[in-house]
Amino acid sequence: MKFKGQVVLVTGASRGIGAAIARAFAQEGATVAVNYLANHAAADETVAACRAAGGDAWAVQADVGDAEAVRAMVDGVVLEAGRIDVVVNNAFRPYAFDPRHRKLFGDVPWSDYRAQFDGAVGAAFNVCQAVLPHLRQRARGSIVNIATNLVENPVVPYHDYTTAKAALVAFSRNLAAEQGPLGIRVNCVAPGLVYPTQASQATPEALREAITAATPLRRIARPEDVAGPVLFLASEWSGFMTGQVLFVDGGLVMK
């Protein structure tokens, strides 16, 4: 899965899953645009790790919830690198995965759903709107959106978050159907609980142990576990796949 000569944009790549994805692409020779919102120091660390892994990288700041900022970012990446081959929509609105403090359905205001929808689907919408004209010009490209296995196995009912990610899957499949004839593929990777990340820090040890016990591979995913399937879906090895969801949860969801 060599990506030498390819340009990859990873959103929310300053830490956690996004940083692991950026490093994995760099290790395969890609030039990586490391998008971040505010933590410039963390983004610089990801850039340094990408370069140490053998690729090239630079940090690009933009709020993916801001359509104008996203257009400026994408245009800047194309101006700097000459092209974009792969987009990974990983950024999402902050969320604490803590079942002890989650809201029951009756307590979840519609504004929480709307905020998560804007963070999941809205951000991917902004990035895809900005990048698709560049991909269509070259009649090729791969978009990988990060969903969650909770859409199939809501082991904890995080109502607003999971509903938004389910909408992201539908968004991705509609885009895959429309853009396929133009040579552009759109797929999703759906991780289970990934630890350690900033979002999963609030997940109690008892729940992590219960998920581990129920998982056929008997462990929790690490950020690096998500990177491999993302690279697969971005590569020519999956060249005849689009509109698919790969579950990366050690076998909790089998389909």
Side-chain angles (χ1 to χ4, degrees), residues 95-129:
Y95 201 86
F97 297 98
D98 185 350
R100 298 165 300 187
H101 298 105
R102 76 174 183 89
K103 295 176 183 177
L104 300 178
F105 173 69
D107 300 321
V108 185
W110 179 244
S111 59
D112 284 7
Y113 282 89
R114 190 164 54 241
Q116 286 302 315
F117 188 90
D118 286 345
V121 184
F125 172 87
N126 289 338
V127 174
C128 290
Q129 281 274 5

Side-chain angles (χ1 to χ4, degrees), residues 97 99 155-156 158 193 203-212 220:
F97 297 98
V155 59
V156 178
Y158 296 117
L193 177 65
T203 304
E205 184 177 359
L207 178 58
R208 297 201 307 270
E209 290 175 349
I211 291 174
T212 299
I220 298 292

Side-chain angles (χ1 to χ4, degrees), residues 10 24 49 56 70 94 99 118 121 130 149 155 161 164-165 175 178 206 227 229 236 240 249 255:
V10 184
D56 194 9
V70 169
D118 286 345
V121 184
N149 77 333
V155 59
Y161 174 83
K165 288 294 193 178
L175 203 58
E178 181 181 87
E236 288 304 315
F240 202 54
D249 61 4
K255 61 178 302 183

Side-chain angles (χ1 to χ4, degrees), residues 42-159:
D44 280 348
E45 288 181 10
T46 302
V47 168
C50 288
R51 291 174 177 169
D56 194 9
W58 79 103
V60 287
Q61 191 281 330
D63 178 355
V64 291
D66 181 335
E68 286 295 328
V70 169
R71 275 194 290 271
M73 173 183 67
V74 168
D75 289 346
V77 171
V78 172
L79 184 64
E80 175 77 18
R83 59 196 278 184
I84 294 177
D85 299 281
V86 177
V87 175
V88 181
N89 285 306
N90 166 74
F92 69 102
R93 193 173 292 268
Y95 201 86
F97 297 98
D98 185 350
R100 298 165 300 187
H101 298 105
R102 76 174 183 89
K103 295 176 183 177
L104 300 178
F105 173 69
D107 300 321
V108 185
W110 179 244
S111 59
D112 284 7
Y113 282 89
R114 190 164 54 241
Q116 286 302 315
F117 188 90
D118 286 345
V121 184
F125 172 87
N126 289 338
V127 174
C128 290
Q129 281 274 5
V131 81
L132 276 170
H134 300 286
L135 300 183
R136 285 196 291 260
Q137 268 189 337
R138 300 177 56 240
R140 61 173 298 161
S142 177
I143 297 170
V144 182
N145 297 325
I146 305 301
T148 175
N149 77 333
L150 292 169
V151 300
E152 292 288 337
N153 181 30
V155 59
V156 178
Y158 296 117
H159 296 281

